[in-house]
Amino acid sequence: MKLIIQIPCYNEAQTLEIALNDLPKHIDGIDEIEYLIINDGSSDNTVEVASKWGVNYIVNFRRNKGLAYGFMAGLDACLRNGADIIVNTDADNQYVADDIELLVRPIIEGKSDIVIGARPIDETEHFSATKKKLQHFGSWVVQKASNSDIPDAPSGFRAYSRDAAMRLNVTNDYTYTLETIVQAGRNKIAQTSVPIRTNGELRPSRLFNSMMGYVKKSMVTILQAYLMYKPLRTFSVLAILPFIVGLAVVIRFLVFVAMGNSSGHIQSLILGCTLLIMGFISLMIAMIGDLLAKNRKLLEDIEYHARKLDYDGVKVVKEDKLEDNE
């Protein structure tokens, strides 16, 4: 069984070697461990540091494309190079590398396909009180959106089985962490969480410039992911309120008509009809969204099988070449 540890990097020359030195060289149940970095348009000597250290693979971008794009490019490279398990960690050495064994163990034992490291948020000294509360709140929202019990949704310390990695799709440009949990939960991919440790802060986070910016982008990402997989429920709920209120207003107008006192209430009829139309349009959007969601699921299944043929074909060819060399 082959493990590839991938590290997204953007100007990480100062911390990358520290993170690489801590990575495990052997894990029980793993036959081979390799290392990959995604150079996301770094302007420093990140690539030189990685090459000198001896990483096996480097995915190189000429300009910065963002964490989500880099993450997916890393998965692609790992799968093409025969990874059975992929671990994603950070270049700032935020996570204790020895805990990679905790991440991969449920996958080795066949108990899960995605394992996410849960940081001790309340005990992390460099997290402010506000950030701790927002981390907990954001994770709670993701739990509700994904029907999962992942306690630390923003954690980037996670492991994927080969099959799970081939099923993932990230559509937003911000981060992969939240969307992939919602996607896995809605697609019934087995995912779990294990408690992990963290190291002291070597540099400030580069994912967001301000706490409010982080909250805004995270909420938008969660909402988009939820709408993508549950449009019927979402837009049906939005249709209920205007429809009920509009229906009540129209009934009120009809009562006045029956009593022969409709004069002066035409505004109520206009308001009621407008609300009914709004509710009807929302319901139509819900139905169209549900059809698109079903179509998306079919496309995801097609893409999964296409990836499986592509990646597993590459893996078989490599194994045949190794046998011939032997």
Side-chain angles (χ1 to χ4, degrees), residues 241-255:
L241 182 59
F243 191 85
I244 291 177
V245 174
L247 184 62
V249 172
V250 170
I251 292 174
R252 175 177 175 272
F253 175 79
L254 293 176
V255 170

Side-chain angles (χ1 to χ4, degrees), residues 232-246 275-286:
L232 182 61
R233 177 182 298 179
T234 305
F235 286 102
S236 294
V237 171
L238 294 177
I240 290 174
L241 182 59
F243 191 85
I244 291 177
V245 174
L275 291 172
L276 285 174
I277 291 171
M278 290 173 59
F280 179 76
I281 291 174
S282 296
L283 185 59
M284 291 300 100
I285 293 174

Side-chain angles (χ1 to χ4, degrees), residues 25-75:
K25 306 299 186 293
H26 171 78
I27 295 175
D28 290 340
I30 299 293
D31 302 310
E32 185 180 4
I33 301 178
E34 293 183 340
Y35 312 94
L36 176 147
I37 72 158
I38 304 103
N39 173 40
D40 195 11
S42 298
S43 58
D44 64 1
N45 61 331
T46 294
V47 173
E48 288 78 2
V49 171
S51 298
K52 184 178 179 181
W53 188 87
V55 299
N56 301 90
Y57 313 103
I58 297 176
V59 178
N60 196 46
F61 299 147
R62 289 188 176 89
R63 58 169 296 178
N64 182 260
K65 295 190 176 184
L67 183 59
Y69 191 95
F71 170 77
M72 290 303 296
L75 290 189

